[in-house]
Amino acid sequence: MSTELPEYYFRVRENGAVVFRIDTENRQRRIEMDQIAVINIRNGEVKPHGQRTLSEADKAEIARWMENRKALLEQREIDDIHRAVDYLNLTTQWAQSKATEEQLEDVTDRLLMAMHDLRSVLVRKKADRLSKE
């Protein structure tokens, strides 16, 4: 493990992060975290904390973090979709081989509606893509 601390720390939150500058250059040699900004990843907004003015280095590091974070979230989103395909297959296997009548009664209508909704969207999107070609 590296003993060198990063200059910035990003505390992830629902729509972005809280940005801190890390300081160890004090008499007690304690790690101090000074909040410098709040980021909204959805709309790209960066709000300096309090009356603070962000330096060019701050802005560059925040922009780099936002770009990396967006890429990570996009990757996770497609991973979730691939997992959903696996879950659908596992659900099919469960319904065919393990599910009791009571369990099927409990989930069948909701599954059918969700699958109908998904199928409708996928067919419409596929038709849109084909019509553009």
Side-chain angles (χ1 to χ4, degrees):
M1 186 173 160
S2 173
T3 58
E4 215 171 296
L5 293 174
E7 189 174 348
Y8 297 92
Y9 172 71
F10 294 83
R11 181 194 300 152
V12 175
R13 54 188 228 162
E14 184 69 29
N15 294 328
V18 178
V19 186
F20 296 90
R21 187 177 299 116
I22 305 300
D23 178 24
T24 57
E25 301 298 321
N26 54 61
R27 287 195 286 173
Q28 294 84 19
R29 308 255 321 139
R30 292 184 185 155
I31 298 171
E32 293 182 8
M33 295 173 52
D34 183 24
Q35 183 177 343
I36 63 170
V38 175
I39 299 169
N40 184 322
I41 200 86
R42 288 193 180 137
N43 65 14
E45 187 174 57
V46 177
K47 290 183 182 177
H49 182 69
Q51 301 300 314
R52 182 174 305 277
T53 301
L54 298 176
S55 70
E56 290 305 314
D58 295 339
K59 292 175 186 176
E61 187 64 22
I62 289 169
R64 186 193 63 75
W65 183 88
M66 289 175 72
E67 184 178 314
N68 290 341
R69 183 69 180 170
K70 286 178 184 178
L72 176 64
L73 293 174
E74 288 173 8
Q75 178 186 358
R76 284 182 182 171
E77 185 175 47
I78 197 67
D79 282 348
D80 287 345
I81 301 306
H82 288 293
R83 274 191 210 92
V85 172
D86 287 347
Y87 286 135
L88 283 171
N89 286 309
L90 292 169
T91 302
T92 302
Q93 186 61 33
W94 169 82
Q96 185 174 16
S97 63
K98 295 180 184 177
T100 65
E101 287 186 23
E102 294 80 24
Q103 290 171 324
L104 287 172
E105 187 61 37
D106 184 41
V107 299
T108 296
D109 290 342
R110 288 184 295 153
L111 275 171
L112 287 172
M113 288 303 297
M115 290 179 349
H116 174 74
D117 185 29
L118 176 60
R119 183 183 184 285
S120 297
V121 170
L122 291 175
V123 167
R124 185 176 65 249
K125 293 286 192 171
K126 177 101 178 188
D128 290 347
R129 287 192 314 273
L130 290 173
S131 69
K132 290 179 183 176
E133 292 177 359

